[in-house]
């Protein structure tokens, strides 16, 4: 039954793409099944704060991308609207796995997903999305659930190997924060005992924040060029961007706070790494053109951001046996 109170949902169309809005008293969350199941809105209504960063290029339909040079990176970047993506079965740069060429951030973040309503009452609403990869024999299912009165989104994802062979994958949650929520001085809090593994080389043409080497102890780490940098504090615009990998989680959670904040919880036994991507406006060429001020805090199985083949080689990729499944539970809650 259509409701405008308590937990409710509705189907809408955004820029020609199917979308679903899950809503309750404090939250409105918009998911786009036609675009990878992306979360493109996570609005805390009492403070009018949207935690989802949206890129200047906005939401684009990948099916309309008929021009431009063939490019395994552009396949993701040219349609990247920000928000929260499911990354599977490869993370980061293009890679080749057992003869399958995988583009930037794998296959599912951009495919159209099937969507069905699994709960629709005043107490809770839920939708289940599902998709099969094109180049590897995987199925991914993802359920978004919102309960009445709570400022928390619950997410359960399952990946299934539909072959009789053992396969590998990188699996991640590409969650990125930006303006207007993200501001200089915002704080990032993690459990005790987390270590920082820098990316091997600079990912930004203007340098990097964290000195290569390590691992270092979170949050104060050696800075590139000397001195120290505190990764728990979001820096000023124009600071060189960087990618580091955080590990050693006794519990999977982080908090990012300004005037309001968000706490994200996940099963660190399934995704033992947290990728921290910072692009703070210093990248002045393609694809960012100096327009990004973002921090990504992305739970992941596998590292670094060089694609599946390297994660398999270094032993960090997720292994799924014949017909095996793995399930991940997550919770994203507003702190106000």
């Amino acid at each position: 039954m259509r409701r405008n109170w308590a937990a409710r949902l509705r189907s809408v169309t955004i820029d020609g793409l199917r979308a679903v809005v899950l809503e309750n008293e404090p939250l409105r969350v918009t998911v786009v099944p036609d675009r990878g199941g992306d979360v493109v809105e996570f609005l805390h209504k009492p403070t009018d704060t949207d935690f989802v960063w949206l890129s200047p290029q906005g939401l684009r339909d990948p099916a309309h991308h008929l021009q431009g040079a063939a490019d395994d990176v552009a396949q993701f970047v040219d349609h990247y609207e920000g928000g929260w993506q499911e990354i599977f079965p490869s993370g980061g740069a293009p890679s080749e796995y057992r003869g399958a060429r995988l583009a930037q951030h794998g296959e599912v973040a951009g495919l159209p997903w099937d969507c069905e309503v699994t709960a629709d009452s005043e107490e809770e609403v839920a939708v289940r999305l599902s998709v099969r990869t094109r180049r590897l024999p995987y199925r991914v299912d993802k359920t978004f659930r919102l309960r009445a009165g709570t400022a928390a989104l619950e997410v359960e994802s399952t990946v299934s190997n539909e072959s009789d062979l053992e396969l590998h994958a990188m699996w991640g949650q590409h969650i990125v924060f930006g303006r207007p929520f993200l501001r200089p001085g915002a704080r990032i809090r993690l459990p005790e005992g987390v270590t920082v593994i820098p990316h091997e080389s600079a990912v930004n043409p203007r340098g990097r924040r964290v000195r290569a080497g390590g691992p270092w102890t979170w949050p104060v780490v050696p800075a590139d060029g000397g001195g120290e940098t505190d990764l728990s504090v979001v820096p000023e615009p124009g600071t060189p961007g960087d990618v580091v990998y955080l590990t050693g989680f006794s519990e999977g959670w982080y908090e990012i706070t300004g005037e309001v904040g968000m706490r994200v919880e996940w099963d660190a036994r399934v995704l033992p790494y947290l990728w921290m991507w910072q692009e703070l406006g210093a990248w002045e060429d393609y694809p960012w053109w100096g327009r990004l001020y973002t921090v990504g805090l992305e739970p992941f199985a596998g590292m670094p951001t060089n694609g599946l083949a390297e994660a398999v080689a270094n032993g960090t990729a997720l292994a799924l046996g014949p017909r095996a499944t793995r399930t991940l539970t997550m919770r994203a809650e507003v702190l106000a």
Side-chain angles (χ1 to χ4, degrees):
M1 183 183 72
R2 179 66 180 267
R3 290 179 305 282
N4 293 319
W5 64 90
R8 64 265 200 192
L9 59 79
R10 67 185 187 277
S11 297
V12 299
T13 301
I14 303 175
D15 296 328
L17 298 168
R18 287 179 306 145
V20 180
V21 180
L22 299 91
E23 190 169 2
N24 64 5
E25 299 89 341
L27 289 185
R28 185 171 69 236
V29 178
T30 301
V31 178
V32 185
D34 272 357
R35 174 63 179 86
D38 292 3
V39 177
V40 298
E41 180 186 37
F42 197 115
L43 181 73
H44 182 240
K45 294 191 286 187
T47 59
D48 197 29
T49 301
D50 190 357
F51 288 88
V52 165
W53 170 75
L54 294 176
S55 79
Q57 67 187 19
L59 186 63
R60 294 175 173 178
D61 186 347
H64 295 162
H65 184 65
L66 301 177
Q67 305 298 322
D71 185 330
D72 284 346
V73 173
Q75 183 171 316
F76 179 86
V77 172
D78 285 358
H79 310 102
Y80 177 54
E81 82 284 5
W84 173 354
Q85 288 79 36
E86 189 92 12
I87 302 299
F88 189 86
S90 183
S95 181
E96 185 171 314
Y97 173 71
R98 296 173 66 169
R101 179 72 182 177
L102 300 169
Q104 178 83 9
H105 282 322
E107 297 196 69
V108 303
L111 290 177
W113 294 46
D114 294 330
C115 179
E116 63 174 321
V117 175
T118 57
D120 185 5
S121 70
E122 294 181 27
E123 290 73 34
E124 67 174 16
V125 290
V127 292
R128 181 170 61 235
L129 279 59
S130 61
V131 69
R132 282 185 168 89
T133 53
R134 306 288 175 83
R135 299 196 170 182
L136 294 174
Y138 282 120
R139 176 185 169 111
V140 183
D141 295 277
K142 187 169 188 176
T143 297
F144 294 94
R145 187 177 309 277
L146 195 59
R147 303 181 192 274
T150 66
L153 177 69
E154 301 171 30
V155 183
E156 181 177 282
S157 299
T158 299
V159 294
S160 304
N161 176 1
E162 296 191 319
S163 80
D164 294 322
L165 305 172
E166 181 179 73
L167 298 174
H168 294 88
M170 298 174 81
W171 188 11
Q173 304 295 320
H174 195 278
I175 306 172
V176 177
F177 301 92
R179 293 189 174 108
F181 161 67
L182 189 74
R183 300 178 184 273
R187 294 276 178 171
I188 300 166
R189 194 165 75 91
L190 302 176
E192 295 291 333
V194 169
T195 58
V196 179
I197 304 172
H199 192 66
E200 184 178 10
S201 57
V203 298
N204 190 298
R206 289 181 55 184
R208 61 191 302 167
R209 288 187 67 194
V210 182
R211 193 174 80 201
W216 317 116
T217 300
W218 171 271
V220 179
V221 300
D224 190 52
E228 295 180 326
T229 187
D230 186 349
L231 290 176
S232 70
V233 181
V234 176
E236 295 290 329
T239 303
D242 213 339
V243 173
V244 299
Y245 311 97
L246 310 172
T247 190
F249 286 86
S250 56
E251 301 174 288
W253 63 265
Y254 65 77
E255 295 177 354
I256 179 166
T257 58
E259 294 182 5
V260 293
M262 177 176 283
R263 179 183 175 96
V264 175
E265 301 174 353
W266 76 97
D267 188 346
R269 296 169 298 179
V270 179
L271 308 184
Y273 300 97
L274 182 67
W275 294 13
M276 184 177 183
W277 171 49
Q278 305 154 81
E279 180 44 58
L280 304 165
W283 192 309
E284 297 180 347
D285 299 320
Y286 176 83
W288 308 131
W289 306 113
R291 299 191 297 175
L292 265 66
Y293 182 75
T294 62
V295 171
L297 293 170
E298 309 167 26
F300 247 94
M303 60 155 284
T305 181
N306 294 339
L308 178 55
E310 186 165 331
V312 172
N314 66 26
T316 63
L318 182 70
L320 288 102
R323 305 290 169 178
T325 64
R326 295 294 297 272
T327 297
L328 171 72
T329 57
M330 298 188 66
R331 191 172 191 269
E333 181 177 9
V334 176
L335 306 174

